């Protein structure tokens, strides 16, 4: 879509150039920004000019995904276990054209319940690295950064620089289940499980307005898993939109969580 009100476009080249003038908006892949009218946007500041490496290995064995890392590039990162990144990219059901433009940072900042890069990074206990306008930086867990649909914990002038994934979660076994109303529809419920030594950590997205983490002991009964998921969903409320009714989403999430736990628990539940 043409953004009819945009009069300027400039590439950010350093931190100083990220200071937004009135009417300016940060542009990453543009897959959402160009998808609907933005009558308040008169200028674009293109983050791709910063030339950040899409990913970096961190000294402690963790992995950094740059905010400008595209969904396609994220799948090529040196994951110890690459399946989860691929499954999350597939969960977005984008065409290859969208995958090669949409970024991890854009997905997080848009904060849609079906944000599969949110699911990926929240499930691996990711931390958002945020550049503050005074030249400093701060960190916040992905699960606290995403506050609700199109609502994140960014203050004026702040920019997401990267998401750091800790070494302790990158090597853990994971399982993903997804449900939607139609085969190629947007995710209505997405459950990612991570098997830690002493727990199964379930991250719920798509069916809830913001990512929710539920931890259950390995070998929990089906009833216990369902009860834990129901309680967690009730705390934030089940999401309602044309992609699924809340009660259906609650039922789907519980079913998917049981399946994920079974896959990650030796010998089933
Ligand atoms: C066919 C199609 C299918 C889609 N399916 C899904 C889906 O299933 N789930 C889903 O969540 N989304 C979906 N989207 C929406 C969108 O494409 C994705 O969320 C995408 O990841 C957004 O990333 P982007 O880089 O294109 O963001 P942009 O459109 O460039 O930006 C999105 C917003 O984030 C802000 N922003 C971007 N980067 C930063 C940063 N580093 N710091 C601060 N602010 C920033 C921008 O200013 C803007 O407000 C879909 C879009 C299309 C076209």
């Amino acid at each position: 879509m043409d953004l009819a009100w945009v009069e300027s476009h400039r590439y950010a080249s350093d931190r100083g150039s990220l200071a937004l003038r009135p009417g300016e908006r940060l542009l990453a892949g543009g897959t959402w920004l160009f998808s609907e009218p933005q009558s308040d946007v008169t200028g674009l500041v293109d983050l791709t000019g910063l030339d950040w490496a899409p990913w970096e290995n961190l000294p402690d064995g963790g992995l950094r995904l740059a905010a400008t890392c595209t969904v396609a590039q994220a799948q090529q990162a040196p994951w110890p276990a690459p399946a989860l990144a691929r499954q999350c990219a597939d969960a977005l059901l984008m065409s290859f054209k969208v995958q090669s433009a949409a970024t991890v940072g854009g997905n997080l900042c848009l904060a849609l319940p079906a944000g599969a890069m949110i699911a990926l990074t929240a499930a691996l206990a990711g931390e958002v690295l945020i550049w503050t306008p005074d030249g400093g930086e701060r960190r916040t867990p992905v699960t606290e950064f995403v506050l609700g649909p199109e609502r994140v914990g960014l203050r004026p002038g702040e920019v997401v620089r990267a998401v750091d994934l800790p070494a302790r979660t990158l090597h853990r076994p994971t399982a993903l289940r997804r449900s939607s109303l139609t085969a190629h529809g947007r995710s209505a419920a997405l459950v990612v499980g991570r098997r830690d030594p002493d727990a199964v950590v379930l991250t719920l997205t798509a069916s809830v307005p913001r990512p929710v983490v539920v931890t259950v002991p390995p070998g929990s009964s089906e009833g216990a898993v369902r009860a834990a998921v129901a309680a967690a969903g009730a705390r934030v409320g089940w999401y309602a939109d044309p992609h699924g009714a809340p009660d259906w989403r609650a039922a789907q999430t519980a079913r998917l969580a049981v399946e994920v736990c079974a896959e990650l628990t030796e010998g089933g539940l």
Side-chain angles (χ1 to χ4, degrees):
M1 166 179 293
D2 291 335
L3 295 184
W5 300 268
V6 170
E7 294 167 348
S8 67
H9 170 275
R10 61 184 175 89
Y11 284 99
S13 52
D14 53 26
R15 282 194 73 162
S17 58
L18 289 171
L20 298 183
R21 300 169 195 145
E24 281 188 331
R25 182 81 65 89
L26 296 175
L27 168 67
T31 59
W32 174 79
L33 213 49
F34 293 131
S35 72
E36 49 185 77
Q38 311 284 350
S39 56
D40 56 334
V41 179
T42 54
L44 297 171
V45 178
D46 197 325
L47 294 170
T48 61
L50 290 158
D51 274 337
W52 290 328
W55 63 79
E56 292 167 65
N57 290 308
L58 297 173
D60 67 350
L63 180 66
R64 168 170 295 178
L65 298 178
T68 49
C69 175
T70 65
V71 173
Q73 287 170 329
Q75 296 172 75
Q76 308 302 323
W79 301 96
L84 185 62
R86 201 175 47 246
Q87 289 170 317
C88 287
D90 287 346
L92 284 168
L93 287 179
M94 298 168 168
S95 75
F96 71 93
K97 281 165 72 178
V98 176
Q99 286 208 6
S100 61
T103 65
V104 172
N107 194 253
L108 264 75
C109 291
L110 194 53
L112 297 182
M117 294 298 105
I118 296 172
L120 170 67
T121 54
L124 297 176
E127 263 194 352
V128 185
L129 174 62
I130 297 168
W131 275 1
T132 55
D134 59 2
E137 57 185 45
R138 65 182 181 94
R139 293 171 171 276
T140 186
V142 172
T143 47
E144 291 173 24
F145 177 76
V146 178
L147 301 175
E150 297 187 46
R151 245 171 13 98
V152 291
L154 273 185
R155 300 171 193 141
E158 291 188 331
V159 176
V160 171
R161 166 64 185 87
V163 186
D164 289 348
L165 307 170
R168 73 180 165 81
T169 60
L170 286 177
H171 294 267
R172 305 306 311 171
T174 58
L176 179 148
R177 293 287 189 284
R178 171 185 177 280
S179 178
S180 71
L181 277 176
T182 59
H184 298 294
R186 183 166 287 196
S187 301
L190 186 78
V191 178
V192 181
R194 187 182 82 233
R195 179 69 156 93
D196 280 358
D198 52 357
V200 177
V201 182
L202 300 166
T203 300
L204 320 180
T205 56
S207 58
V208 279
R210 54 180 295 183
V212 172
V213 175
V214 181
T215 302
V216 294
S220 294
S221 68
E222 177 173 338
V225 174
R226 285 181 177 275
V229 167
R235 274 197 296 279
V236 293
W238 296 101
Y239 193 55
D241 72 358
H243 302 289
D247 56 347
W248 177 76
R249 282 179 137 129
Q252 290 298 312
T253 308
R255 178 180 66 80
L256 301 179
V258 168
E259 286 182 21
V260 163
C261 283
E263 183 175 327
L264 292 175
T265 305
E266 234 176 42
L269 286 175

